[in-house]
Amino acid sequence: MASIRVLAAPALCAVLSGCGLVGGGDPSPTPSAHAGFGGPPTSAAVVTEVDEAMFRTPSKNIFCSLTPSQVRCDIGQKKWNLPTKPADCEFDWGNGIYIAEGKVGFTCTGDTLLGSATETLEYGSALRSGDVLCSSGSSGLTCKDEKSGRGFTMAIARYSFF
């Protein structure tokens, strides 16, 4: 696995700030969008502890920003349907998924993480920053707030919140 650079850049804070994320509610996923995912993976991944990290999946389709209390992952190509865009979202809706303050939801942002990371989280590997753990597998990326137990799995064909 390529080493993951630990970042403390102010831009990371701006990317994950509340102004770029829709919070407050848990959108209901479209049933067909999460078929095949049963929640977090049960196989043990090789876990690396980090302070913060920017990484991508081996497919280069998902790019993430991970901190001790939250994660945001943007996806380039997806084949799943999104719930209706909330009226209070003035930006791009659903190009990513986040976990923040124990809540999971779709992003409402005017920016993108796509292309922002050069380090790859290889299949079978995981990164943990504080309470947040992200695991990469050939069937998708799973991120979980271990304190709340809430999280998501995302892949090109489907997503799931748990």
Side-chain angles (χ1 to χ4, degrees):
M1 174 176 95
S3 65
I4 300 296
R5 250 183 308 183
V6 177
L7 303 175
L12 180 63
C13 294
V15 166
L16 291 172
S17 68
C19 64
L21 302 176
V22 173
D26 291 324
S28 299
T30 306
S32 63
H34 60 87
F37 285 140
T42 55
S43 61
V46 176
V47 179
T48 302
E49 301 283 339
V50 296
D51 291 328
E52 297 180 341
M54 300 282 288
F55 65 90
R56 66 183 179 209
T57 57
S59 66
K60 298 181 183 173
N61 191 41
I62 301 173
F63 286 75
C64 301
S65 176
L66 173 66
T67 72
S69 62
Q70 54 193 357
V71 65
R72 170 181 161 190
C73 295
D74 289 355
I75 187 165
Q77 295 180 13
K78 61 184 178 297
K79 296 179 181 176
W80 24 275
N81 296 317
L82 290 167
T84 303
K85 181 178 179 177
D88 63 347
C89 177
E90 298 177 16
F91 300 103
D92 293 327
W93 167 245
N95 292 326
I97 298 176
Y98 71 92
I99 302 170
E101 299 175 3
K103 294 183 171 97
V104 179
F106 292 107
T107 57
C108 173
T109 60
D111 63 358
T112 184
L113 296 176
L114 298 178
S116 65
T118 58
E119 303 299 330
T120 301
L121 182 60
E122 299 294 341
Y123 298 141
S125 297
L127 291 176
R128 177 182 288 118
S129 179
D131 293 328
V132 184
L133 175 71
C134 290
S135 303
S136 178
S138 60
S139 63
L141 177 76
T142 299
C143 294
K144 178 181 180 180
D145 177 335
E146 295 180 310
K147 186 174 181 180
S148 70
R150 305 292 312 277
F152 64 84
T153 299
M154 65 189 313
I156 193 169
R158 57 198 174 274
Y159 71 91
S160 175
F161 295 159
F162 56 89

